[in-house]
Amino acid sequence: MPPEPTVLDTPPDLKDVPFFHGLSAADRKRIQAKFREEEHRAGEVLFQQDQFADRLFLLLSGRVEICFKPYDGESLTVSLIEPGGVFGWSAALGRSSYTSGAVCTADGRCLSIRGRDLRRICEEHPATGVILLERLAEVIALRLTSTHDHVMELLRQGMQPGREARRP
């Protein structure tokens, strides 16, 4: 189980985070209390594949590597998250476990929210929920396209000995 993150005392300011653009000040204020800002160090595991999925993350600074380990092979880096990126969306979708793991590759900060809190906000405030779910859908679609391209490159690498796949 990954260690507990360093949680910062100051509430996050969501107006500067692109994921929240388009939300009213009242909407941001309503959901701000549900987010926490965390600091993480390079090498720190944020969550492991198959671990209980409880938090969605928005990267503010640093870098995070998303890894997937097939049952019959080595762990693969399927995505690199840069500032502004969203990851851990299994929690937002109500999945029981994360489908991949996340490791910090550079010191950084992120915002996180419990998936159940995000789903409750969407249920209680449908207009806000529509904006948040549209943003999440955009992130998921982009990630799936990027992951597909990376997996295809890995497959090509496996078919051509001595050639390394480029990282996303």
Side-chain angles (χ1 to χ4, degrees), residues 36-54:
R36 70 182 190 192
E37 189 170 350
E38 307 171 357
E39 287 185 332
H40 296 279
R41 299 285 170 229
E44 185 176 337
V45 175
L46 292 154
F47 55 83
Q48 297 174 347
Q49 183 173 321
D50 296 325
Q51 177 184 326
F52 176 69
D54 63 338

Side-chain angles (χ1 to χ4, degrees), residues 43-107:
E44 185 176 337
V45 175
L46 292 154
F47 55 83
Q48 297 174 347
Q49 183 173 321
D50 296 325
Q51 177 184 326
F52 176 69
D54 63 338
R55 300 194 81 80
L56 173 73
F57 297 84
L58 290 88
L59 191 62
L60 299 176
S61 66
R63 193 168 174 170
V64 172
E65 187 174 83
I66 304 298
C67 300
F68 175 76
K69 174 148 183 8
Y71 74 93
D72 63 346
E74 296 295 316
S75 182
L76 305 170
T77 297
V78 294
S79 187
L80 294 172
I81 308 298
E82 301 287 343
V86 179
F87 59 101
W89 35 269
S90 295
L93 300 175
R95 301 272 167 83
S96 61
S97 60
Y98 292 112
T99 56
S100 299
V103 179
C104 290
T105 57
D107 292 356

Side-chain angles (χ1 to χ4, degrees), residues 16 22 27 39 42-43 54 59 61 65 96 126 130-131 139 151 163:
D16 298 325
D27 286 337
E39 287 185 332
D54 63 338
L59 191 62
S61 66
E65 187 174 83
S96 61
V130 166
I131 293 170
V139 168
V151 168
R163 207 176 146 215

Side-chain angles (χ1 to χ4, degrees), residues 12 14 28-37 55 112-114 117-118 120-121 124:
L14 304 181
R28 285 193 311 270
K29 185 176 180 180
R30 180 181 306 116
I31 64 176
Q32 182 172 345
K34 299 294 184 185
F35 277 88
R36 70 182 190 192
E37 189 170 350
R55 300 194 81 80
S112 74
I113 186 171
R114 290 193 183 284
D117 291 338
L118 181 61
R120 187 174 306 119
I121 289 167
E124 294 174 359

